[in-house]
Amino acid sequence: MAEIESCFVFNASTKQSIFLCFQASNESLKMELLADVPLLPGEERVIDKDIIYICPFNGPVKGRVFITNYRLFFRSVDVDPAVTLNVPLGVISRVEKMGGASSRGENSYGLDITCKDMRNLRFALKQEGHSRRDIFDILFRYAFPLSHGLQLFAFLSQEKYQENGWTVYNPVQEFRRQGLPNDQWRITFLNNNYELCDTYPTILVVPYSASDEDLRKVATFRSRGRIPVLSWIHPENQAVITRCSQPLVGMSGKRNRDDERYLDIIRATNKMTSKLTIFDARPNVNAVANKATGGGYEGEDAYQNAELVFLDIHNIHVMRESLKKLKDIVYPNVEESHWLSSLESTHWLEHIKLVLSGAIQVADKISTGSSVVVHCSDGWDRTAQLTSLAMLMLDSYYRTFRGFQVLLEKEWISFGHKFASRIGHGDKNHADADRSPIFLQFIDCVWQMTKQFPTAFEFNERLLVAVLDHLYSCRFGTFLYNCESARDANEVKMKTVSLWSFINSDRASYINPFYTVEFVHVLYPVASMRHLELWVSYYIRWNPRIRQQQHSPMEQRYKELLALKEQYLRKLEELQLSDSTSHLSNSTAPSPSTPSQRVTHLQTPF
Amino acid sequence: MFSLGSGGGKSAKPSFVSYVTPEEIEPEPEGSLQEKSPEFLPGEVVFCSAKRILRCTQDDESECSVFGTLFLTNFRVSFVSDAVHSEDTVQLFKNKLYGENDIPLACVDQIYGDYDEKKKLITSSQVKNKYPSKIIIHCKDLRVFHFSLLCVKEEVRKKIFQGIIHHILDPKSLKCIFAFSYGEKAAPVPEVQRKQKTLMFETAEDWAAEMRRTKGSCKLVEDNKDFQIAQRLPQFFFTPTSVENEDLQKYQGRGVPIWCWSHHSGCALFKTAALPIAQEESTSKVQKAYVESMLNAVAQNHLYSVKTVDLSDALPNIQDIQQSYNKFKQNFLIDSIAEFWMSDVKWFSTLETSRWLSIIRQCLHKAVEVVESLERENTNILLIEEGGSDLCCVISSLVQLMLDPYYRTLVGFQSLVQKEWVAGGHNFLERSNLLHQRDKELQSPVFLLFLECVWQLLQQHSPAFQFSETYLTVLSDSINVAVFSTFLFSTPHQRATIMKAELDTGTLNIPPVWQWSLQFDCKAQGFFINPLYKAKSKQEKALRKAQRPKYTRQLSLPSTPSRRGFFKEETDNLKKMLRVKRISRWMQLPDSVQACVREFYSVWQRKPLDYHGLLLPCLDWPAVRLWTQRYLRWIPEVQILGGGDVAMLNKVAALVREVQELRTEVDRQVSQADPSLESPLVFARSSVRLSSSFPFAAARVWSFRPAIPISIGDSQMDLGQLASRDDEDTDYQ
């Protein structure tokens, strides 16, 4: 506390300090300011300090910054309306010192914070007495707890929710929903101790006619033992999406009879087609180049009943650079002079197009009755994008509020998308080559789909943004660690709260009012640049010039109309009640529930 | 349906290969086909026709091609398919004048011929004795037709080809335009009765009513009743009170401030045609004095300040606009699937190089500048342009749309177009080159540019508009139908004299485009209504009125000393300041203008949005968008089956209807009164999945298979070293 007291020094130039010369009023102001800092259960204040926030849109703003073990909170003192910042420390990817003690120019001494969510924060401090040293050290420590032997906030949080998000996904239940096991596919617990594959979940669905021994043999020929297993089965034509990693073909062009036979078993589970389609997400050249490091792809000679299609999706490094370029043209200011060509040169939407187009091809194969195998190099980045997007197109369940959570839990979390490595939770190494916005890219693809099919998804854009915000925040355990085995080892489910506990306790906020239940159709988005849009309300959301509408006018109008409808229905009900009371003698009067019945003819089939 | 050669699948390059060879065609089934013809319109005459024309679709899949008969009439090129048409697709949005396989002659943009597999643009002079195997017609409404003439007998092929070329490409006289034959024969169609009527601004009463509505005070000029002043000016118009009658005559009405609209603060918007550039100094001096006196008149003898806005300097000229649009539209006139996916990669940069969206942005920006002057500074505005009837119309109409919610209603919008464009003397005839003049210098899609700007406003602030995007799209199509008087003439004089002369000699009934019943039945017209629009309630109206004086006062308070507003009391300083004001305006750097507009926008943006008040567009990049409905509606690859905003709008429309029915029911029970008639809102009740281009192209059957992008060999992305790296730095060996 003493440390905090000493930091609480008023900037002499602020209006307040002129009036507040008494200790008492000083104290009361402090209390008032602190009262505005929202603290979560388990969250603790670490430091607070007078600071200048250099807002890229409105210029320097004087105020006070509060740092807790969860967030950075800033509140301006002399501007109306107040400028506030509320940034979970998990969002921070880099903290740098800006300028030195002898730097000239106003506000040239301070901190420069790079965030993972498309923004940078700059703070200036007084150029005297190493005023930034303590705050820099504290930020560095609490923003990157894992690099300092501290725990992530998710393990310190004491939040309690009505819902238990950890129960959202139950693999056996989900497979049962898909009609599994059946006569062709079985559930295996072979990986119960992560011995077959340490980055796979414990419960896997494999062909009925492949023995456990077969699986072990196949695992030796697939990178990191990630053997082809079932992700989704078409309820009618029995075509399946299976996922895996690349075969370990290598320079010499090795073959593995077990692997070849295993893929042929997968093909044979579906009697409708004579060919299995293998989608290799990578560009052809990359797949060839992978042979040099021992990987590769399924050769035509070896896999005779299969056709191999390359989907030309680039690697994690290309995607990282692309997003970096995108940030350059949207933050802090939108590139004005050549916006369209600048946007094109980031290639971000072109990558989105390739991912969507790949998923469309997978979904198209499945709905025309062919089973598919999807892989990239390791089968946890591009593969997860493709399988989950194809499933979203094929199965309307995944487009529901609950189903979408199941999809993320299943295809991304349980199948070992390396969230920890890709996001770098609590890690100070911001330049790590493992970082890549693969999951963000997937969510962008989902957003593109919701944009193209505004009535097909039960959830709204706010859910997607919330998922991305908490992808970084470290407040929930959901996206922590690289795979299930690591999550088990760290007792994530016992020691942290699930993001879905939070989301599901506030379901109404995330519901799309236009959602129309429609089971039959496959949704094929149009993967053309003509329809792909930059997700402005995510990537450019910090820019105040982009009008942030809490609800779209369409949504607002729809809700108003729904309320009106209710009102009229009630009125009709009242009218009929008064009608029936005045004609009480009339025994053939309609039953009290008439209003709703009376208007049934008004209901229109949507 | 005939089975035809498959054509060898998809090719990587756009090709114009005809996949049908004459040998593959079965002999013509004699007499088995009924004579089919389109339903001809009154006054429509067939010039020639050709059977066995093969209509091909862009997607190279010959099974989609159909045989049929091509008719050439004085109105259109019409293709009638031999295939028995299934009538089960009930078309909700059917144009009564022409169908999806009809091309009104005026709607043809370009004709290409396929000569030995080379696509060549056909201009009439080229036509000698060589006839293409296929003609490709690009339409102004962005449809593309491929007609193969391979199976047509030589002499018929010659006749139909020359006929099409002649009637579409050769210069013709005004009276040859279909509207005149149609007008003689067509019986007047009873129009849907609306509570309000579109003001045509052909009478002094209409102008006076408009002046009353805006509470302005200007002088009605009736001297141009018989076009004594100028042919390009309306018969009636308003000028500032102190403009003398002799001033009007001096330069054939040039330089005379024509009233457009009055702001509630008392200042007003005027437009004028620029004076001819004087060669001699003496005339130049006289002109200067004249201009000065006109400005004085606008300023109501220095009661208000005046700003002049010279649009010729500030905005692209009509040739720039035409050139830009020519480049822009090529993005949508797609000949083959391969071409589509090829162009997809460079989509954003080709869009940018056309500059079309930039021009839209510039126009909106200029309009916001003017709005700012009227609303915040309460200055009078005088728009100046060489002819006074192109960009002046664009800017003045946009300003009024942003400031006056009345113009955002359907009838208000139509009245605005009548006032600013039709009565305002926009040269529709030459801007759309209806007479196929060889010299295309006067051709320019200025009115379309205006509709594009309106669309930008509409998509950003949809609930503020009573009309829908579909309405704007249909209006933009109607320019090229050559039936409506609205888009037929070059000056008000021409319009008045021809319509009157024809009326005197016989019964001529050339309808304005606003007679929507000619094109769409009552139900289809429901698609013109925007379900998000909410009329202002009486309570709100009263509330606004009460607030208004205070509101005005606040806004006109000077924000910074240099950007002072003017109050009536400040007359002492006015003469001096007036001059300074004008000079400073001229000297002002574009950057500072931009900054002012930005600031004006952000101040407005911070206030709660009132859809019945001032409306400003966001002009930052991602907010300026492509009018997808108009431009993408015919391209099969981009149809989102079961999706698009249509899906949501349809739900809103259904709910609006449901609520209306409920209200009627409540009203009936409460008062036993007749249900009041509401605007008919329609929505697609059908269970079929709509495509994103609905209600357009509804008769087409979209494929249920997805469109899969064709990758064009190596990606053109320049990714450097990164692309060859592996995700994980590991060796499996």
Side-chain angles (χ1 to χ4, degrees), chain B residues 430-448:
Chain B
E430 282 171 314
R431 292 291 172 265
S432 54
N433 199 16
L434 269 182
L435 305 179
H436 314 305
Q437 301 293 339
R438 293 257 185 276
D439 182 9
K440 292 189 171 151
E441 250 183 34
L442 295 175
Q443 190 178 344
S444 182
V446 183
F447 186 64
L448 175 65

PDB file of all heavy atoms in Angstrom, chain B residues 430-448:
ATOM      1  N   GLU B 430     -28.709  13.981 -74.448  1.00  0.00           N
ATOM      2  CA  GLU B 430     -27.333  13.843 -74.911  1.00  0.00           C
ATOM      3  C   GLU B 430     -26.441  13.142 -73.898  1.00  0.00           C
ATOM      4  O   GLU B 430     -25.493  12.464 -74.267  1.00  0.00           O
ATOM      5  CB  GLU B 430     -26.772  15.211 -75.287  1.00  0.00           C
ATOM      6  CG  GLU B 430     -27.312  15.616 -76.646  1.00  0.00           C
ATOM      7  CD  GLU B 430     -26.980  17.047 -77.021  1.00  0.00           C
ATOM      8  OE1 GLU B 430     -27.154  17.951 -76.181  1.00  0.00           O
ATOM      9  OE2 GLU B 430     -26.558  17.250 -78.151  1.00  0.00           O
ATOM     10  N   ARG B 431     -26.771  13.262 -72.642  1.00  0.00           N
ATOM     11  CA  ARG B 431     -25.959  12.572 -71.638  1.00  0.00           C
ATOM     12  C   ARG B 431     -26.082  11.063 -71.786  1.00  0.00           C
ATOM     13  O   ARG B 431     -25.167  10.323 -71.477  1.00  0.00           O
ATOM     14  CB  ARG B 431     -26.363  12.993 -70.229  1.00  0.00           C
ATOM     15  CG  ARG B 431     -26.040  14.442 -69.872  1.00  0.00           C
ATOM     16  CD  ARG B 431     -24.562  14.722 -69.742  1.00  0.00           C
ATOM     17  NE  ARG B 431     -24.344  16.163 -69.582  1.00  0.00           N
ATOM     18  CZ  ARG B 431     -24.067  16.998 -70.587  1.00  0.00           C
ATOM     19  NH1 ARG B 431     -23.914  16.531 -71.819  1.00  0.00           N
ATOM     20  NH2 ARG B 431     -23.925  18.287 -70.371  1.00  0.00           N
ATOM     21  N   SER B 432     -27.247  10.600 -72.243  1.00  0.00           N
ATOM     22  CA  SER B 432     -27.363   9.154 -72.427  1.00  0.00           C
ATOM     23  C   SER B 432     -27.224   8.779 -73.900  1.00  0.00           C
ATOM     24  O   SER B 432     -27.371   7.621 -74.249  1.00  0.00           O
ATOM     25  CB  SER B 432     -28.686   8.649 -71.851  1.00  0.00           C
ATOM     26  OG  SER B 432     -29.747   9.373 -72.420  1.00  0.00           O
ATOM     27  N   ASN B 433     -26.935   9.730 -74.733  1.00  0.00           N
ATOM     28  CA  ASN B 433     -26.715   9.516 -76.162  1.00  0.00           C
ATOM     29  C   ASN B 433     -27.789   8.627 -76.788  1.00  0.00           C
ATOM     30  O   ASN B 433     -27.500   7.659 -77.476  1.00  0.00           O
ATOM     31  CB  ASN B 433     -25.324   8.915 -76.404  1.00  0.00           C
ATOM     32  CG  ASN B 433     -24.885   9.104 -77.846  1.00  0.00           C
ATOM     33  OD1 ASN B 433     -25.474   9.922 -78.580  1.00  0.00           O
ATOM     34  ND2 ASN B 433     -23.877   8.357 -78.270  1.00  0.00           N
ATOM     35  N   LEU B 434     -29.011   8.991 -76.541  1.00  0.00           N
ATOM     36  CA  LEU B 434     -30.134   8.209 -77.046  1.00  0.00           C
ATOM     37  C   LEU B 434     -30.183   8.202 -78.567  1.00  0.00           C
ATOM     38  O   LEU B 434     -30.720   7.283 -79.169  1.00  0.00           O
ATOM     39  CB  LEU B 434     -31.451   8.815 -76.524  1.00  0.00           C
ATOM     40  CG  LEU B 434     -32.002   8.280 -75.218  1.00  0.00           C
ATOM     41  CD1 LEU B 434     -33.322   8.952 -74.902  1.00  0.00           C
ATOM     42  CD2 LEU B 434     -32.185   6.778 -75.296  1.00  0.00           C
ATOM     43  N   LEU B 435     -29.628   9.223 -79.180  1.00  0.00           N
ATOM     44  CA  LEU B 435     -29.714   9.325 -80.639  1.00  0.00           C
ATOM     45  C   LEU B 435     -28.489   8.728 -81.328  1.00  0.00           C
ATOM     46  O   LEU B 435     -28.321   8.852 -82.530  1.00  0.00           O
ATOM     47  CB  LEU B 435     -29.889  10.797 -81.054  1.00  0.00           C
ATOM     48  CG  LEU B 435     -31.079  11.519 -80.413  1.00  0.00           C
ATOM     49  CD1 LEU B 435     -31.140  12.966 -80.876  1.00  0.00           C
ATOM     50  CD2 LEU B 435     -32.373  10.807 -80.749  1.00  0.00           C
ATOM     51  N   HIS B 436     -27.641   8.075 -80.548  1.00  0.00           N
ATOM     52  CA  HIS B 436     -26.427   7.435 -81.061  1.00  0.00           C
ATOM     53  C   HIS B 436     -25.566   8.394 -81.865  1.00  0.00           C
ATOM     54  O   HIS B 436     -25.147   8.077 -82.970  1.00  0.00           O
ATOM     55  CB  HIS B 436     -26.785   6.223 -81.944  1.00  0.00           C
ATOM     56  CG  HIS B 436     -27.818   5.341 -81.336  1.00  0.00           C
ATOM     57  ND1 HIS B 436     -27.689   4.791 -80.104  1.00  0.00           N
ATOM     58  CD2 HIS B 436     -29.028   4.949 -81.802  1.00  0.00           C
ATOM     59  CE1 HIS B 436     -28.758   4.078 -79.824  1.00  0.00           C
ATOM     60  NE2 HIS B 436     -29.591   4.166 -80.825  1.00  0.00           N
ATOM     61  N   GLN B 437     -25.330   9.547 -81.360  1.00  0.00           N
ATOM     62  CA  GLN B 437     -24.442  10.479 -82.038  1.00  0.00           C
ATOM     63  C   GLN B 437     -23.045   9.876 -82.089  1.00  0.00           C
ATOM     64  O   GLN B 437     -22.591   9.255 -81.144  1.00  0.00           O
ATOM     65  CB  GLN B 437     -24.382  11.818 -81.273  1.00  0.00           C
ATOM     66  CG  GLN B 437     -25.712  12.513 -81.104  1.00  0.00           C
ATOM     67  CD  GLN B 437     -26.297  13.013 -82.404  1.00  0.00           C
ATOM     68  OE1 GLN B 437     -25.571  13.201 -83.381  1.00  0.00           O
ATOM     69  NE2 GLN B 437     -27.601  13.199 -82.442  1.00  0.00           N
ATOM     70  N   ARG B 438     -22.403  10.085 -83.226  1.00  0.00           N
ATOM     71  CA  ARG B 438     -21.032   9.566 -83.361  1.00  0.00           C
ATOM     72  C   ARG B 438     -20.105  10.272 -82.361  1.00  0.00           C
ATOM     73  O   ARG B 438     -19.226   9.667 -81.784  1.00  0.00           O
ATOM     74  CB  ARG B 438     -20.518   9.849 -84.763  1.00  0.00           C
ATOM     75  CG  ARG B 438     -21.227   9.100 -85.824  1.00  0.00           C
ATOM     76  CD  ARG B 438     -20.373   7.924 -86.305  1.00  0.00           C
ATOM     77  NE  ARG B 438     -21.055   7.289 -87.423  1.00  0.00           N
ATOM     78  CZ  ARG B 438     -22.018   6.380 -87.253  1.00  0.00           C
ATOM     79  NH1 ARG B 438     -22.364   6.005 -86.032  1.00  0.00           N
ATOM     80  NH2 ARG B 438     -22.621   5.857 -88.288  1.00  0.00           N
ATOM     81  N   ASP B 439     -20.352  11.557 -82.260  1.00  0.00           N
ATOM     82  CA  ASP B 439     -19.538  12.337 -81.347  1.00  0.00           C
ATOM     83  C   ASP B 439     -20.069  12.118 -79.939  1.00  0.00           C
ATOM     84  O   ASP B 439     -21.174  12.528 -79.615  1.00  0.00           O
ATOM     85  CB  ASP B 439     -19.641  13.815 -81.737  1.00  0.00           C
ATOM     86  CG  ASP B 439     -18.774  14.661 -80.840  1.00  0.00           C
ATOM     87  OD1 ASP B 439     -17.994  14.079 -80.062  1.00  0.00           O
ATOM     88  OD2 ASP B 439     -18.880  15.896 -80.921  1.00  0.00           O
ATOM     89  N   LYS B 440     -19.278  11.450 -79.115  1.00  0.00           N
ATOM     90  CA  LYS B 440     -19.803  11.054 -77.809  1.00  0.00           C
ATOM     91  C   LYS B 440     -19.378  11.991 -76.691  1.00  0.00           C
ATOM     92  O   LYS B 440     -19.437  11.638 -75.523  1.00  0.00           O
ATOM     93  CB  LYS B 440     -19.367   9.626 -77.498  1.00  0.00           C
ATOM     94  CG  LYS B 440     -20.053   8.651 -78.443  1.00  0.00           C
ATOM     95  CD  LYS B 440     -19.837   7.223 -78.058  1.00  0.00           C
ATOM     96  CE  LYS B 440     -20.734   6.349 -78.918  1.00  0.00           C
ATOM     97  NZ  LYS B 440     -20.201   5.029 -79.135  1.00  0.00           N
ATOM     98  N   GLU B 441     -18.956  13.180 -77.063  1.00  0.00           N
ATOM     99  CA  GLU B 441     -18.421  14.075 -76.049  1.00  0.00           C
ATOM    100  C   GLU B 441     -19.438  14.493 -75.005  1.00  0.00           C
ATOM    101  O   GLU B 441     -19.089  14.820 -73.886  1.00  0.00           O
ATOM    102  CB  GLU B 441     -17.851  15.323 -76.722  1.00  0.00           C
ATOM    103  CG  GLU B 441     -16.345  15.343 -76.621  1.00  0.00           C
ATOM    104  CD  GLU B 441     -15.762  16.596 -77.203  1.00  0.00           C
ATOM    105  OE1 GLU B 441     -16.408  17.655 -77.101  1.00  0.00           O
ATOM    106  OE2 GLU B 441     -14.660  16.508 -77.758  1.00  0.00           O
ATOM    107  N   LEU B 442     -20.695  14.506 -75.418  1.00  0.00           N
ATOM    108  CA  LEU B 442     -21.711  14.974 -74.488  1.00  0.00           C
ATOM    109  C   LEU B 442     -22.292  13.848 -73.636  1.00  0.00           C
ATOM    110  O   LEU B 442     -23.092  14.073 -72.750  1.00  0.00           O
ATOM    111  CB  LEU B 442     -22.835  15.676 -75.264  1.00  0.00           C
ATOM    112  CG  LEU B 442     -22.400  16.961 -75.964  1.00  0.00           C
ATOM    113  CD1 LEU B 442     -23.517  17.517 -76.805  1.00  0.00           C
ATOM    114  CD2 LEU B 442     -21.961  17.994 -74.943  1.00  0.00           C
ATOM    115  N   GLN B 443     -21.871  12.623 -73.956  1.00  0.00           N
ATOM    116  CA  GLN B 443     -22.394  11.489 -73.209  1.00  0.00           C
ATOM    117  C   GLN B 443     -21.707  11.386 -71.853  1.00  0.00           C
ATOM    118  O   GLN B 443     -20.479  11.460 -71.761  1.00  0.00           O
ATOM    119  CB  GLN B 443     -22.164  10.205 -74.011  1.00  0.00           C
ATOM    120  CG  GLN B 443     -22.873   9.017 -73.427  1.00  0.00           C
ATOM    121  CD  GLN B 443     -22.665   7.759 -74.265  1.00  0.00           C
ATOM    122  OE1 GLN B 443     -22.249   7.819 -75.418  1.00  0.00           O
ATOM    123  NE2 GLN B 443     -22.960   6.629 -73.677  1.00  0.00           N
ATOM    124  N   SER B 444     -22.507  11.213 -70.793  1.00  0.00           N
ATOM    125  CA  SER B 444     -21.923  11.086 -69.459  1.00  0.00           C
ATOM    126  C   SER B 444     -22.989  10.656 -68.452  1.00  0.00           C
ATOM    127  O   SER B 444     -24.089  11.199 -68.447  1.00  0.00           O
ATOM    128  CB  SER B 444     -21.327  12.421 -69.022  1.00  0.00           C
ATOM    129  OG  SER B 444     -20.726  12.287 -67.767  1.00  0.00           O
ATOM    130  N   PRO B 445     -22.675   9.686 -67.621  1.00  0.00           N
ATOM    131  CA  PRO B 445     -23.700   9.171 -66.694  1.00  0.00           C
ATOM    132  C   PRO B 445     -23.849  10.035 -65.440  1.00  0.00           C
ATOM    133  O   PRO B 445     -23.644   9.562 -64.328  1.00  0.00           O
ATOM    134  CB  PRO B 445     -23.171   7.781 -66.347  1.00  0.00           C
ATOM    135  CG  PRO B 445     -21.690   7.920 -66.428  1.00  0.00           C
ATOM    136  CD  PRO B 445     -21.407   8.959 -67.480  1.00  0.00           C
ATOM    137  N   VAL B 446     -24.190  11.286 -65.626  1.00  0.00           N
ATOM    138  CA  VAL B 446     -24.250  12.211 -64.490  1.00  0.00           C
ATOM    139  C   VAL B 446     -25.403  11.853 -63.551  1.00  0.00           C
ATOM    140  O   VAL B 446     -25.245  11.852 -62.324  1.00  0.00           O
ATOM    141  CB  VAL B 446     -24.395  13.671 -64.979  1.00  0.00           C
ATOM    142  CG1 VAL B 446     -24.390  14.626 -63.796  1.00  0.00           C
ATOM    143  CG2 VAL B 446     -23.273  14.023 -65.922  1.00  0.00           C
ATOM    144  N   PHE B 447     -26.547  11.526 -64.134  1.00  0.00           N
ATOM    145  CA  PHE B 447     -27.695  11.194 -63.287  1.00  0.00           C
ATOM    146  C   PHE B 447     -27.434   9.896 -62.513  1.00  0.00           C
ATOM    147  O   PHE B 447     -27.753   9.787 -61.331  1.00  0.00           O
ATOM    148  CB  PHE B 447     -28.959  11.059 -64.147  1.00  0.00           C
ATOM    149  CG  PHE B 447     -30.211  10.850 -63.347  1.00  0.00           C
ATOM    150  CD1 PHE B 447     -30.681  11.814 -62.470  1.00  0.00           C
ATOM    151  CD2 PHE B 447     -30.933   9.665 -63.460  1.00  0.00           C
ATOM    152  CE1 PHE B 447     -31.834  11.623 -61.734  1.00  0.00           C
ATOM    153  CE2 PHE B 447     -32.098   9.464 -62.718  1.00  0.00           C
ATOM    154  CZ  PHE B 447     -32.547  10.447 -61.860  1.00  0.00           C
ATOM    155  N   LEU B 448     -26.794   8.940 -63.177  1.00  0.00           N
ATOM    156  CA  LEU B 448     -26.428   7.696 -62.492  1.00  0.00           C
ATOM    157  C   LEU B 448     -25.475   7.994 -61.332  1.00  0.00           C
ATOM    158  O   LEU B 448     -25.599   7.420 -60.253  1.00  0.00           O
ATOM    159  CB  LEU B 448     -25.779   6.722 -63.480  1.00  0.00           C
ATOM    160  CG  LEU B 448     -25.244   5.428 -62.879  1.00  0.00           C
ATOM    161  CD1 LEU B 448     -26.385   4.586 -62.321  1.00  0.00           C
ATOM    162  CD2 LEU B 448     -24.468   4.623 -63.910  1.00  0.00           C
TER     163      LEU B 448
END
